[in-house]
Amino acid sequence: MAARTPFPPDATLADAGEFGLISALVDLFPQGEQVLVGPGDDAAVLRIRNGHVVVSTDLLVEGRHFRRDWASAEDVGHRAAAQNLSDINAMGGRATSLTIGLAAPAELPVQWALDFARGFADECAQVGASVVGGDLTRSDQIVIAVTVLGGCTQAPVLRSGARPGDVLAICGRQGWSAGGLAVLGRGFRSPRVLVEAYRRPEPPYDAGRIAAEAGATAMIDVSDGLLADAGHVADDSGVAIDVHASAFDVPEPLHAVGAALGADPIQFMLSGGEDHALLATFASVDAVPAGWAVIGSVAAGSGVTVDGAPYEGPTGWTHF
Amino acid sequence: MAARTPFPPDATLADAGEFGLISALVDLFPQGEQVLVGPGDDAAVLRIRNGHVVVSTDLLVEGRHFRRDWASAEDVGHRAAAQNLSDINAMGGRATSLTIGLAAPAELPVQWALDFARGFADECAQVGASVVGGDLTRSDQIVIAVTVLGGCTQAPVLRSGARPGDVLAICGRQGWSAGGLAVLGRGFRSPRVLVEAYRRPEPPYDAGRIAAEAGATAMIDVSDGLLADAGHVADDSGVAIDVHASAFDVPEPLHAVGAALGADPIQFMLSGGEDHALLATFASVDAVPAGWAVIGSVAAGSGVTVDGAPYEGPTGWTHF
C-alpha cells in the first residue's frame, strides 16, 4: 500500500524539490515526548535520562545492501531501521531517536522515498523511537545513512566481557535472512517465509535489555555472520568460543532451501547475518533467560571453533 | 603531510580490508573524557550533562559537495567536520561527539581515507569533540555521512524566534567559500585566500554560545546561502527580513574575484554558503555581541528583501 502524498504518482525527487520532499517526509515521522526540538532546525534537541546516550551509525548502499527489485521501498525502510535499532538492543538498551541521511539520484521516484520513510517509521514505532532529523542530497546511487541514539537502564553490555566457563546463547531467528537472500539470488521467490525474513528482519528488540538484566557478560548482534560475530566477541574478550552446531535446531524452511540449492542448511545459520539475532554469553546455563538457546561455550584461548574443530566454510561478510 | 600508516603507499581500501582499515582509522581519533565506550562495540556510550543532547546529521557526496582534484583528503575531512560542528554552533551549543559513515569505492587509496580522517579529527579537536563511532562500506561514489552530538549550557536558539523590531547580525566570513569555488570552477587557483576558505572553512565556533548568552532570538548557520538561510529564519519565525547589502563590508579578495570574473562581488556574499558564518537576530543593536556585524532588520510580514527590494539574483543552493 502506498503512502498518500501531495505529489503526482510519477514525480521524481527532482520534480518534488528538496524542501517539498523534506516537508512530506517529516510528516511521516511522529515525535516522541523525549523530542524537545524535532526536524527542521539546525539540529534536534532530545531530553536524555540516566546521564548517558548510546549511539551507533550504519550505511546501506543500493546494490550492496539492498536491491530495488528484491525488496520494496517499505521493506528497505524496515531493514535500515532494524539494523540500527538492533545495535542499541545489543548493548542492552532501548533506542529512542534516529537521524536519516538519504543520498539518491534525481530520477528516483518520490514514492520510493516516501514508502521508504513509512517503512522506517513503522519499524521505529515497534520500539517507540522517533526520527528526529535528517539530510537529503543528490547522488548517483542510493546511500542511506542512519544514526541511532538510545539509553540503557543498567550498565551497557560490551563485546569484551566473556569469560572462560561462560556459555554462549542466541535469541532470535538465525540464517533465515541468508536463506532468503540465497533464494532471491537464484531467481526464486520461495520459501516465502525466508524471502520475507530477508526483506524484513524481526530482531528480538526486548531480548537485549532482558539479557543485560539477567547478567549477560558480553553481547553482540549478528550482522556480519554468526561465526564472524562470535569471533568479534572472542577477540575483544580474549577468549576462545566453541559453537555447538550439533545443538542447532535447523528450521524446516532452511532444510528446504538447502535441499533445493544443494547446500548444507547449517551454513546459513553459521555464516548468515542480518536477521539481527542477539548473541550473548552468560556465566552459567542457569543465567540464560527464557527465549534464548544455548549454542556454545567459552574457554581460555582464542578464536572460534565449530564442534571443537576449525570451520572450513565462509564465516561471514566483509565490506572490502 | 601524509599520516603514517601500516599500509603500502599505493594500497587501496580493498587491499587494506575492512577491519585493518577501521583499526587504522580508530587510531586517529582520540577519545574525550565524555566517552564511556568508544569505537569498536555495537554502539558508543557517552556521558551526557545538562539532561539533553543536540544532534544533527549531514551528507557529503563526491562530485557534488567536493572534488578530489579541488581539495585534498585532509581538506575534505576539515570541511565535513566543520559543516556538522557548525550546526551545533548555530543552536548556541558545543559539539562533543561525532560518528562518521564512509561509503567509498574499493579502488580508493587507503591514504585518502586516512588523510580524510586526520583532517576530520583535527577540525574536531578545535572544539574538543571526539569521533566515537562509524561505519565503512563499499559504494561507487564517495559518500560521507556525519552525525554530531553536543549540548547547550542554556536554552538552544531556534530559527523560529525572530520578532519584528529585531536586528539581523552575522559573525564570520561570508562569501569567501563561494568566491573560492567560483575561482576553482574557472580553472584558477588564486586568490589563494579564497580557495583556502573554500577548502577549509573557519566557522566562528565560539560565536554561537556567546550569541545565545547575549539573548539571540533566532540563529542559523549559513550553509544554503545567506539569503536562503535568512529566508528559513523569516519563514520559521513568521516575519519579514530585510538584508542591508549596502552595509556590507566587501572584503578585498572578493572585489578581485568579482573584477576577474565580471561578477558583482556582493553576489558571493548574498548567495554564498559553506563559510558557516552564523546569522542571528537580537532584540536590539545593543544586544549584539562584539565580533558580530549588523546587516539587516526584522519586520512584520514575510519573505526576504535586499535593501528594501526583492532580490533578482540566485539566493542559494538546493539539492534537487
Side-chain angles (χ1 to χ4, degrees):
Chain A
M1 191 179 71
R4 283 163 50 190
T5 84
F7 307 107
D10 57 350
T12 65
L13 296 198
D15 297 331
E18 181 181 1
F19 296 111
L21 181 56
I22 287 175
S23 171
L25 290 169
V26 166
D27 287 345
L28 296 172
F29 299 133
Q31 300 297 307
E33 57 83 35
Q34 82 283 8
V35 185
L36 303 175
V37 177
D41 219 296
D42 295 282
V45 184
L46 311 173
R47 185 182 294 115
I48 298 295
R49 305 186 191 283
N50 299 326
H52 69 269
V53 65
V54 183
V55 58
S56 181
T57 198
D58 266 319
L59 299 171
L60 284 87
V61 177
E62 181 176 16
R64 187 146 187 89
H65 299 95
F66 66 91
R67 284 174 51 159
R68 272 188 271 169
D69 55 340
W70 283 3
S72 71
E74 220 176 324
D75 291 334
V76 176
H78 276 274
R79 285 185 69 207
Q83 80 175 53
N84 279 274
L85 298 172
S86 176
D87 283 321
I88 306 300
N89 196 26
M91 301 297 280
R94 175 69 80 158
T96 62
S97 309
L98 301 96
T99 62
I100 306 179
L102 175 62
E107 344 38 283
L108 185 75
V110 169
Q111 196 60 56
W112 196 94
L114 294 171
D115 289 343
F116 162 79
R118 210 173 50 130
F120 195 96
D122 284 352
E123 188 73 21
C124 291
Q126 290 190 29
V127 302
S130 302
V131 176
V132 301
D135 192 21
L136 180 65
T137 192
R138 192 187 289 204
S139 63
D140 299 338
Q141 185 181 22
I142 301 176
V143 177
I144 299 159
V146 180
T147 300
V148 58
L149 284 71
C152 296
T153 52
Q154 70 301 307
V157 183
L158 309 185
R159 299 178 175 184
S160 53
R163 296 291 169 261
D166 284 358
V167 297
L168 179 74
I170 194 168
C171 184
R173 301 192 302 203
Q174 172 56 26
W176 291 49
S177 177
L181 184 61
V183 162
L184 288 167
R186 300 294 182 97
F188 300 120
R189 291 287 184 275
S190 69
R192 189 160 181 81
V193 65
L194 295 184
V195 171
E196 286 303 315
Y198 161 77
R199 290 176 174 158
R200 298 198 188 183
E202 297 184 2
Y205 289 126
D206 288 322
R209 182 183 48 78
I210 291 170
E213 288 170 356
T217 52
M219 189 151 57
I220 192 169
D221 85 310
V222 180
S223 54
D224 288 337
L226 195 155
L227 295 182
D229 287 309
H232 297 321
V233 172
D235 290 349
D236 289 6
S237 298
V239 297
I241 293 181
D242 186 47
V243 174
H244 306 165
S246 51
F248 283 14
D249 192 12
V250 179
E252 192 286 325
L254 286 183
H255 278 298
V257 170
L261 303 185
D264 183 347
I266 202 79
Q267 283 183 8
F268 297 117
M269 301 187 74
L270 291 174
S271 64
E274 307 215 320
D275 290 300
H276 302 295
L278 289 188
L279 200 60
T281 53
F282 298 87
S284 72
V285 171
D286 294 341
V288 177
W292 289 71
V294 173
I295 60 160
S297 53
V298 181
S302 65
V304 175
T305 48
V306 176
D307 293 328
Y311 183 66
E312 304 294 335
T315 58
W317 170 266
T318 59
H319 289 289
F320 288 104
Chain B
M1 191 177 74
R4 283 163 51 190
T5 83
F7 306 107
D10 57 351
T12 65
L13 296 197
D15 297 331
E18 180 180 2
F19 296 111
L21 180 56
I22 287 175
S23 171
L25 290 170
V26 166
D27 287 346
L28 296 172
F29 300 134
Q31 300 299 308
E33 59 84 34
Q34 83 282 10
V35 186
L36 303 175
V37 176
D41 218 298
D42 294 281
V45 184
L46 311 173
R47 183 182 293 116
I48 298 293
R49 305 187 191 285
N50 301 326
H52 69 270
V53 66
V54 184
V55 59
S56 182
T57 197
D58 267 319
L59 299 171
L60 284 88
V61 177
E62 180 175 17
R64 187 146 187 91
H65 300 94
F66 66 91
R67 285 174 48 158
R68 272 189 271 168
D69 55 340
W70 284 2
S72 71
E74 222 176 324
D75 290 335
V76 176
H78 276 274
R79 286 187 68 209
Q83 79 174 54
N84 280 275
L85 298 173
S86 177
D87 283 322
I88 305 302
N89 196 27
M91 301 298 280
R94 175 69 81 159
T96 62
S97 309
L98 301 96
T99 62
I100 306 180
L102 175 62
E107 322 72 79
L108 185 74
V110 168
Q111 195 61 54
W112 195 95
L114 294 170
D115 289 343
F116 163 80
R118 209 172 50 134
F120 195 97
D122 284 351
E123 189 73 21
C124 291
Q126 290 190 31
V127 302
S130 302
V131 176
V132 301
D135 193 20
L136 179 65
T137 191
R138 192 188 289 203
S139 63
D140 298 339
Q141 185 182 22
I142 300 175
V143 177
I144 299 160
V146 180
T147 299
V148 58
L149 285 72
C152 295
T153 53
Q154 71 301 308
V157 183
L158 309 186
R159 299 177 176 186
S160 53
R163 296 292 170 258
D166 285 358
V167 297
L168 179 73
I170 194 168
C171 184
R173 303 194 298 205
Q174 172 55 27
W176 292 49
S177 176
L181 184 60
V183 162
L184 288 167
R186 301 295 184 94
F188 300 121
R189 290 287 183 275
S190 70
R192 190 161 180 80
V193 66
L194 296 184
V195 171
E196 285 303 315
Y198 162 76
R199 290 176 174 158
R200 297 198 188 183
E202 295 183 4
Y205 288 125
D206 288 322
R209 182 183 49 78
I210 291 170
E213 288 170 356
T217 52
M219 190 151 56
I220 193 170
D221 85 310
V222 181
S223 54
D224 288 337
L226 194 156
L227 295 182
D229 288 309
H232 298 320
V233 172
D235 290 349
D236 288 7
S237 297
V239 297
I241 291 180
D242 186 47
V243 174
H244 306 164
S246 51
F248 282 15
D249 192 12
V250 178
E252 193 286 326
L254 286 183
H255 279 297
V257 170
L261 303 185
D264 183 347
I266 202 79
Q267 284 183 8
F268 296 118
M269 300 186 75
L270 290 174
S271 65
E274 308 218 319
D275 290 301
H276 303 294
L278 289 188
L279 199 60
T281 53
F282 297 88
S284 73
V285 170
D286 293 342
V288 177
W292 289 71
V294 173
I295 61 160
S297 54
V298 180
S302 65
V304 175
T305 49
V306 176
D307 292 328
Y311 183 66
E312 303 294 336
T315 59
W317 170 266
T318 58
H319 288 290
F320 286 104

